[in-house]
Amino acid sequence: MQLSTKNVSALDIIKSTYKSPGVLGFYRGLPSMVYFAAPKAAIRFASFETCSGLLTGPNGEDQYGLGKAKGFVAGLGAGTMEAIFVTTPQETIKVRLINDAFRTDGPPKYRSFFQGVKSIVSEFGIGGIYKGLAPTIIKVSTAQATRFGVFQLIPAEQRNTPIKAAMSGAFAGGVSVLAFQGIDVVKSRMQGLDAHKYKSTMHCVTELLKNEGPLAFYKGVGPRLTRVCLEVGITMSLYGEIVKVLDTVWKTDP
């Protein structure tokens, strides 16, 4: 929906996808998400713990007096690392594979995930998978700052069980989507097959506003809100339980 220059609904996308290329069309871009899921989570949480440690004194005190903003700052650092090392290439590959699958000017260019990656790198170089780096850093860093920050603002007793942690994570994820959906739309446009139309991030923003209006920045917000709430809820719940297991082996606190 974010790549469409026309006003379409989620139902329109579901119908057109089911009609052609069928059920498998709903799974376009899935390999890039599967292959990058583990390294993305690893870098995100490792960076968050590292940043939290840097903001914490030797005796566990708040070294810089950030108070409740500490989670936001650590999340900002975690999101920046995640965007640079994983999310930008992952999203570029995913968006181009999805965009290519539904192109109307000819048959799809990419037959599989690996062939698609090889073609993109061959045609555009390594820089080809780093298109939209700036908006991706902004999007991921602000999103993770919001998710970690909001999650830690919720009282500990409201997230001390897997179910409560999942609900708190889902809420934090929903806040991040509603706050920064526009950045995600810009990122997707700059990473799609029509990325060459945009000279810069600001040029993409002005073109969207001029040609499609303000509501273009909230295209696809419904499906993305559902996905992110589920994703962040599950991730935060699992992370808490994994840390408990690791704490039996070695201390994981900053």
Side-chain angles (χ1 to χ4, degrees), residues 182-195:
I183 297 174
D184 195 61
V185 172
V186 172
K187 172 199 68 66
S188 295
R189 291 297 180 93
M190 292 189 69
Q191 291 175 330
L193 296 178
D194 292 329

Side-chain angles (χ1 to χ4, degrees), residues 48-72:
F48 178 77
E49 295 294 347
T50 299
C51 291
S52 295
L54 293 173
L55 298 173
T56 303
N59 298 315
E61 70 274 16
D62 186 353
Q63 193 162 320
Y64 299 99
L66 294 173
K68 293 183 178 180
K70 182 180 174 182
F72 287 91

Side-chain angles (χ1 to χ4, degrees), residues 69-99:
K70 182 180 174 182
F72 287 91
V73 175
L76 197 66
T80 300
M81 294 298 102
E82 179 186 335
I84 293 172
F85 292 108
V86 183
T87 306
T88 301
Q90 177 215 351
E91 287 292 303
T92 301
I93 293 166
K94 183 190 76 174
V95 169
R96 292 201 174 197
L97 287 175
I98 294 173
N99 202 174

Side-chain angles (χ1 to χ4, degrees), residues 24-36 90-91 93-99 101-102 112-113:
L24 292 179
F26 294 106
Y27 291 89
R28 288 288 185 177
L30 177 63
S32 68
M33 297 184 71
V34 173
Y35 298 143
F36 286 101
Q90 177 215 351
E91 287 292 303
I93 293 166
K94 183 190 76 174
V95 169
R96 292 201 174 197
L97 287 175
I98 294 173
N99 202 174
F102 298 101
S112 66
F113 173 78

Side-chain angles (χ1 to χ4, degrees), residues 102-150:
F102 298 101
R103 64 191 304 158
T104 57
D105 58 348
K109 292 168 56 179
Y110 310 132
R111 297 185 301 275
S112 66
F113 173 78
F114 293 107
Q115 186 268 335
V117 173
K118 182 179 178 182
S119 298
I120 293 169
V121 174
S122 297
E123 186 175 355
F124 302 103
I126 294 298
I129 60 173
Y130 269 88
K131 290 288 186 181
L133 176 61
T136 303
I137 289 176
I138 295 170
K139 175 237 175 179
V140 179
S141 62
T142 52
Q144 295 305 339
T146 303
R147 291 169 192 175
F148 279 111
V150 171

Side-chain angles (χ1 to χ4, degrees), residues 157-230:
E157 61 271 16
Q158 296 300 319
R159 46 186 173 88
N160 58 3
T161 68
I163 297 298
K164 288 181 178 179
M167 293 176 65
S168 297
F171 176 74
V175 172
S176 72
V177 170
L178 295 175
F180 303 111
Q181 174 69 9
I183 297 174
D184 195 61
V185 172
V186 172
K187 172 199 68 66
S188 295
R189 291 297 180 93
M190 292 189 69
Q191 291 175 330
L193 296 178
D194 292 329
H196 61 277
K197 294 180 179 180
Y198 308 115
K199 300 174 184 176
S200 65
T201 301
M202 283 309 301
H203 180 242
C204 182
V205 171
T206 55
E207 286 296 297
L208 271 171
L209 195 58
K210 180 174 70 175
N211 298 324
E212 300 175 48
L215 291 180
F217 294 101
Y218 272 84
K219 283 192 172 182
V221 67
R224 184 165 177 261
L225 184 64
T226 303
R227 179 185 66 80
V228 170
C229 285
L230 291 172

